[in-house]
Amino acid sequence: MSWGTDLWDQFENLDKHTQWGIDFLERYAKFVKERLEIEQAYAKQLRSLVKKYCPKRSKDDEPRFTSCLSFYAILNELNDYAGQREVVAEEMGHKVYGELMRYSQDLKGERKHHLQEGRKAQQYLDQCWKHMDNSKKKFERECKEAEKSQMMYERLDNDINATKSEVEKAKSQLYLRQHMAEESKNEYAAQLQNFNGEQWKHFNQAIPQIFTNLQNMDERRTVKLGEMYRSFAEVERRVIPIVSKCLEGMVTAAKNVDERRDSGIVVESFKSGFEPPGDFPFEDFSQNIQRTGSDSTIGTPKTEGGKPDPKHAISRTKNKLWLFGKKPKAPTLEDLSHLPPEQRRKKLQQRIDELNKELQKEQDQRDALNKMKDVYEKNPQMGDPGSLQPKISETICNMEKLRSEIHKNESWLAEVEGKHGSRSERRSSADVNHHAPHGRESPEGSYTDDHSQEHRSPPQPDPHEFDDEFDDDDPLPAIGHCKALYSFDGSNEGTLVMNENEVLYVIEEDKGDGWTRVRKNSGEEGYVPTSYVEITMEKNSKGS
């Protein structure tokens, strides 16, 4: 079917239809634009979500649990997925929306050109018809005038009273009108022939060609829409493989969650390295009670002086085991002595490894500078060897500092490992002899092996712990004294406030947990950081 032949008389309807086609194309272009804006907003929201739940972390805060690592892997995959949504939006913008808008402008120009040609052809045909109609009307007028002249001539010719001159004049007028009528007839015939020819050309050549061009334009618009529909889908299809990889990555991250490994990391992170405390000994407070002769041999033998064995004496200030209680917060020390042995050992080893890496970098830099210096010495035109000496000296100085730090940390590590080994040996010996309780917890919550201490954290006196008859128990003897190098606020439970340069009695040594138990002249006892005091041990010192 052809618009040129079947719709030769539907110029106005074709005008409306082609305009509707362009409007529909632009409507689809608007749809694509809103679609890509949705993709852009979606991608932006996804990236914001990833950024919200994956904040910047320091090196020490890096996650180690498989559940955390998998979650951050999922966030990374989601970020890549958001990137694919941005690709979809960009491709839609360039390959679909942009192409549609350019094509729409081309269609508008082509349609305007074809319609202008159609209107011109119609105007020319109208002009030809006007000329033909004018000549027809002229011919009609001339014929009527000729008929009147003939009637006038015949009337005068039959009138006996008419003069000869009047008859001749009427005859001349008749000939003139007949001649003018003949000329009008010829002109009308020519104009009619011309109009018929132009009309044939108009409806059989010009209009069919113009309408065919409009039909081709509209069909190309339809084809273009089909291509754009396909491109719209292809944009989505092209990112499906990458999106599938992102989803597969999320599934793989989910499979990598390992509860056993996470449990092991918890153990590795918080293991103190101490052993659990042993059993508490039985303390017989009935040794001073008078017995009858019949039961004097049944009771537990008295110790010298009628007092309990000091090795088993436990004052009321030492009777609490803070297994789940709040532990005093230890100050952060350079040698990490505030940490439990196992954690201190791991931290020191980690610090040593980092220092070794830095040392290796400095060594590589020194070697590179020496090589460059040798090249400059052999080829002075390339540079001054002396200009490298300050940098080499600085590098060597840095290496010496790092070696000093490594040596210092290695000595601390050796101290930790040595104490841990000796503690295990003492633990085994105590278990064999069934001696005093096997340990206590440090103020940080770790266990030590002090055999005269049966609690795990700095004790707090409880006036209701014992009956009044035991209020006169002897305090622990002083084994030395110490001088406070720094002030300590003692804000945590079990610790003791001390001022700088204050002299205190030492009643219990540091057992490797970084805390020393002391007593003031007022009799108040508690724990202070070992690194905050200068200790002098006195063999024969007694309590105040």
Side-chain angles (χ1 to χ4, degrees):
M1 289 184 287
S2 172
W3 290 7
T5 56
D6 297 332
L7 303 177
W8 61 271
D9 58 344
Q10 299 297 321
F11 183 85
E12 296 297 330
N13 287 330
L14 292 181
D15 183 2
K16 294 178 181 178
H17 173 75
T18 51
Q19 181 61 47
W20 171 86
I22 293 176
D23 291 343
F24 182 79
L25 184 140
E26 291 182 343
R27 184 183 180 191
Y28 177 67
K30 184 178 179 182
F31 160 78
V32 174
K33 181 180 180 182
E34 292 183 3
R35 175 73 170 83
L36 68 89
E37 288 174 351
I38 291 174
E39 288 290 347
Q40 290 173 342
Y42 180 46
K44 183 178 180 180
Q45 290 176 357
L46 285 179
R47 289 196 182 276
S48 298
L49 182 66
V50 170
K51 185 177 180 181
K52 176 181 178 181
Y53 285 93
C54 189
K56 294 181 180 179
R57 302 179 300 274
S58 63
K59 187 175 181 181
D60 294 335
D61 294 334
E62 287 294 329
R64 295 184 296 161
F65 295 103
T66 57
S67 57
C68 294
L69 294 174
S70 295
F71 176 62
Y72 289 126
I74 289 174
L75 289 178
N76 289 332
E77 296 294 346
L78 187 60
N79 193 58
D80 294 340
Y81 177 80
Q84 295 308 306
R85 303 324 305 176
E86 291 174 343
V87 170
V88 169
E90 183 178 357
E91 292 287 326
M92 284 184 179
H94 291 303
K95 296 185 177 181
V96 182
Y97 175 73
E99 181 66 21
L100 284 171
M101 295 307 296
R102 287 191 294 272
Y103 193 71
S104 174
Q105 295 299 321
D106 294 340
L107 285 180
K108 288 179 179 179
E110 184 179 354
R111 173 179 175 275
K112 181 179 180 181
H113 172 70
H114 293 322
L115 293 179
Q116 283 179 347
E117 286 186 344
R119 291 189 177 93
K120 286 181 180 179
Q122 186 64 43
Q123 289 174 359
Y124 179 70
L125 182 64
D126 292 343
Q127 186 177 3
C128 291
W129 179 86
K130 187 175 181 180
H131 289 164
M132 184 274 295
D133 187 60
N134 290 336
S135 63
K136 177 182 176 182
K137 291 178 179 179
K138 182 180 179 182
F139 173 57
E140 184 180 5
R141 287 195 305 271
E142 293 297 334
C143 288
K144 288 180 178 180
E145 291 294 331
E147 289 178 358
K148 289 180 180 179
S149 297
Q150 186 175 2
M151 292 176 63
M152 178 64 70
Y153 170 71
E154 291 177 352
R155 184 174 62 79
L156 290 176
D157 187 41
N158 295 327
D159 188 1
I160 58 173
N161 296 320
T163 62
K164 185 176 181 181
S165 60
E166 291 178 345
V167 173
E168 290 295 329
K169 184 177 179 180
K171 186 176 180 181
S172 298
Q173 187 69 24
L174 175 60
Y175 288 156
L176 177 62
R177 290 296 179 184
Q178 286 178 345
H179 177 71
M180 292 179 65
E182 189 64 25
E183 287 182 353
S184 297
K185 179 181 178 181
N186 293 335
E187 182 181 358
Y188 168 61
Q191 290 294 336
L192 179 61
Q193 184 179 3
N194 179 66
F195 172 74
N196 288 334
E198 293 299 331
Q199 181 175 255
W200 187 90
K201 290 179 182 179
H202 178 80
F203 289 110
N204 290 277
Q205 294 180 357
I207 289 299
Q209 182 62 43
I210 293 171
F211 284 7
T212 300
N213 292 338
L214 287 173
Q215 181 181 2
N216 293 336
M217 180 196 74
D218 192 70
E219 289 176 352
R220 280 187 280 109
R221 175 193 64 81
T222 304
V223 171
K224 191 68 173 180
L225 276 174
E227 292 176 355
M228 292 298 99
Y229 294 160
R230 188 163 47 253
S231 298
F232 183 84
E234 287 294 333
V235 168
E236 287 278 359
R237 180 182 292 177
R238 278 193 290 271
V239 302
I240 286 178
I242 302 178
V243 169
S244 298
K245 289 182 180 180
C246 293
L247 297 176
E248 289 174 3
M250 294 182 186
V251 174
T252 302
K255 292 179 180 178
N256 290 337
V257 175
D258 187 347
E259 69 279 5
R260 294 289 183 181
R261 184 178 175 185
D262 284 2
S263 296
I265 292 174
V266 174
V267 173
E268 180 182 350
S269 299
F270 302 114
K271 182 180 179 182
S272 67
F274 293 116
E275 298 179 8
D279 297 335
F280 276 81
F282 176 76
E283 300 178 46
D284 190 357
F285 296 100
S286 64
Q287 293 176 1
N288 294 331
I289 301 176
Q290 296 294 331
R291 294 183 174 82
T292 62
S294 59
D295 59 1
S296 60
T297 59
I298 300 177
T300 306
K302 297 180 181 180
T303 57
E304 249 183 62
K307 294 183 178 180
D309 187 350
K311 293 183 179 180
H312 300 289
I314 304 177
S315 69
R316 59 180 176 274
T317 61
K318 299 169 58 182
N319 200 36
K320 287 188 178 179
L321 273 175
W322 290 353
L323 184 58
F324 301 106
K326 183 179 180 182
K327 301 175 291 187
K329 183 178 180 181
T332 302
L333 304 175
E334 183 185 5
D335 60 357
L336 304 177
S337 59
H338 61 286
L339 296 175
E342 183 68 17
Q343 299 302 316
R344 183 185 181 195
R345 182 186 66 78
K346 291 178 182 177
K347 291 288 185 181
L348 287 173
Q349 186 62 54
Q350 181 181 357
R351 185 187 292 176
I352 291 171
D353 293 341
E354 293 175 355
L355 290 172
N356 281 325
K357 290 180 182 178
E358 294 180 10
L359 178 60
Q360 185 62 44
K361 289 181 182 178
E362 294 292 337
Q363 289 176 344
D364 294 341
Q365 184 176 2
R366 180 201 59 186
D367 295 341
L369 290 171
N370 286 330
K371 289 180 181 179
M372 189 180 297
K373 182 179 179 181
D374 293 340
V375 172
Y376 286 177
E377 289 176 349
K378 293 178 182 179
N379 302 282
Q381 68 275 9
M382 296 183 66
D384 181 15
S387 63
L388 300 176
Q389 191 58 44
K391 188 64 177 177
I392 295 175
S393 301
E394 181 183 353
T395 304
I396 294 175
C397 181
N398 292 337
M399 290 170 57
E400 291 301 323
K401 291 180 180 179
L402 289 171
R403 287 194 181 101
S404 175
E405 286 293 323
I406 292 172
H407 177 72
K408 181 169 61 175
N409 283 275
E410 286 178 344
S411 63
W412 289 337
L413 180 61
E415 176 187 350
V416 173
E417 291 175 344
K419 284 187 177 182
H420 191 64
S422 63
R423 181 176 294 108
S424 299
E425 293 173 3
R426 293 199 303 272
R427 177 75 60 201
S428 301
S429 174
D431 288 341
V432 171
N433 297 325
H434 300 284
H435 197 47
H438 288 348
R440 65 172 179 84
E441 189 176 286
S442 73
E444 190 62 25
S446 338
Y447 292 101
T448 66
D449 62 339
D450 181 11
H451 299 300
S452 63
Q453 189 75 15
E454 291 81 23
H455 52 82
R456 300 179 188 171
S457 59
Q460 292 296 316
D462 184 0
H464 303 292
E465 187 77 23
F466 301 103
D467 295 331
D468 293 339
E469 60 181 296
F470 299 111
D471 287 346
D472 296 331
D473 287 348
D474 290 338
L476 289 176
I479 58 176
H481 66 275
C482 63
K483 181 180 179 181
L485 301 176
Y486 313 100
S487 297
F488 182 62
D489 57 8
S491 58
N492 294 302
E493 188 176 7
T495 58
L496 185 66
V497 179
M498 69 176 180
N499 299 319
E500 187 177 355
N501 297 323
E502 184 178 0
V503 177
L504 308 166
Y505 291 101
V506 178
I507 59 176
E508 185 178 315
E509 291 184 82
D510 182 358
K511 299 302 181 180
D513 55 9
W515 294 88
T516 299
R517 188 176 178 185
V518 299
R519 180 192 301 124
K520 289 188 174 184
N521 289 329
S522 61
E524 186 179 0
E525 296 181 2
Y527 288 90
V528 296
T530 304
S531 59
Y532 279 41
V533 294
E534 180 182 2
I535 301 175
T536 302
M537 303 304 295
E538 300 175 0
K539 294 183 179 180
N540 298 323
S541 178
K542 295 182 181 180
S544 59

